[in-house]
Amino acid sequence: MTTRHLYLARHGAADAFGELTRIGHRQADLLGERLAGVPVDAVWHSPLSRAAASAHELARHLPNVPVTEAAELVDHVPYVPSAAETPPSWAGFFDGYDDTEAASGQRLAEALVARFAKVPDTTAKGTRPDTHEVLVTHAYQIAWLVRHALDAPPSRWLGLNSANTALTVIEYRTGLPPTIVMFNDMSHLPPDLRWTGFPEGMRP
C-alpha cells in the first residue's frame, strides 16, 4: 500500500514584522530534533520569511533533505463563510473581504489540496512507495488540510488552531480516506515554549 505521510507544522514564533524571533528559532530547532528520526524526503515551506526561516532551522537536523518553497503554503484565508456559517465569535473577522479576495483564497486552498493532500505518484522514476514530507506553513493552511482530511464542511476550518511549531500528521493511503495521526502536538517543546501563537486561555 502506498502512503504519503505529511508532517504539518506552523512556523515558529514571529515578531510584528513577521520575522522569526529567538524563541521561534528555538522552537524550530526542537521540532527538527524530533523529526530527525523520520525518513524525511522533502521539506516544503511557505514563501513568507517566518516559515522559510523555520524550515531551514529544522532542516539542520535533516542532512541532505531538500528544502523548497511552495506557493500553495502561503498564509491566506482559505474559505470565507457565509453569515449563516460564521460563529458569533468570528463576527466581523471577514468584514472587508470582497468576492475577488474570497475567490483568490479559495483557489489557493484548492491548489494546496491538489498538490499535497493525495497519495504519492509512484509512476515517477525513482519514487518510493512511501513518502515523508514536512510542510512548514501557517495555522489556516493546517486547519484547511485537517478539515479536508475529515471531509468536514468548508467553514469548519474555523477554530482549528495550531500553536507555533506544533506537529500535525496526516497520512494518505491508496483506496482509503485520510488518517489524522495527531493534531497540534507540542511534546517536543518544554512548557515555556508551548502554546505561543495560540489564542489566550488556560492550557493543559
Side-chain angles (χ1 to χ4, degrees):
M1 181 179 290
T2 302
T3 304
R4 184 177 209 161
H5 306 262
L6 285 190
Y7 303 83
L8 311 175
R10 186 180 178 185
H11 58 81
D15 62 22
F17 301 100
E19 300 299 325
L20 210 60
T21 63
R22 179 184 58 81
I23 286 175
H25 276 283
R26 179 62 179 144
Q27 290 170 323
D29 179 65
L30 290 168
L31 177 59
E33 285 186 11
R34 178 172 183 177
L35 293 171
V38 175
V40 175
D41 297 290
V43 175
W44 303 92
H45 64 80
S46 156
L48 300 183
S49 60
R50 58 191 181 273
S54 297
H56 285 281
E57 182 70 54
L58 71 84
R60 294 190 306 107
H61 297 276
L62 308 171
N64 303 316
V65 173
V67 179
T68 310
E69 179 180 302
E72 297 89 345
L73 296 173
V74 74
D75 196 10
H76 68 276
V77 170
Y79 176 79
V80 177
S82 67
E85 296 173 299
T86 305
S89 61
W90 285 78
F93 181 83
F94 299 102
D95 290 352
Y97 278 89
D98 59 26
D99 291 344
T100 300
E101 287 176 300
S104 176
Q106 195 153 1
R107 283 194 299 271
L108 267 173
E110 290 168 356
L112 173 65
V113 167
R115 182 169 183 180
F116 292 108
K118 62 182 182 181
V119 176
D121 178 11
T122 56
T123 61
K125 184 177 180 181
T127 303
R128 299 203 310 265
D130 285 6
T131 62
H132 298 260
E133 297 161 87
V134 177
L135 275 54
V136 183
T137 184
H138 308 273
Y140 293 171
Q141 283 54 63
I142 295 169
W144 187 253
L145 287 169
V146 170
R147 179 220 62 82
H148 175 266
L150 293 172
D151 197 22
S155 62
R156 275 304 289 126
W157 73 270
L158 298 173
L160 290 171
N161 297 304
S162 292
N164 293 126
T165 71
L167 187 62
T168 293
V169 181
I170 306 176
E171 294 177 347
Y172 301 88
R173 292 184 175 89
T174 307
L176 292 172
T179 298
I180 297 176
V181 178
M182 65 178 66
F183 175 71
N184 199 46
D185 184 85
M186 291 173 275
S187 58
H188 51 285
L189 301 175
D192 61 315
L193 296 185
R194 296 175 188 170
W195 298 113
T196 66
F198 207 84
E200 297 213 2
M202 294 296 295
R203 308 295 171 203

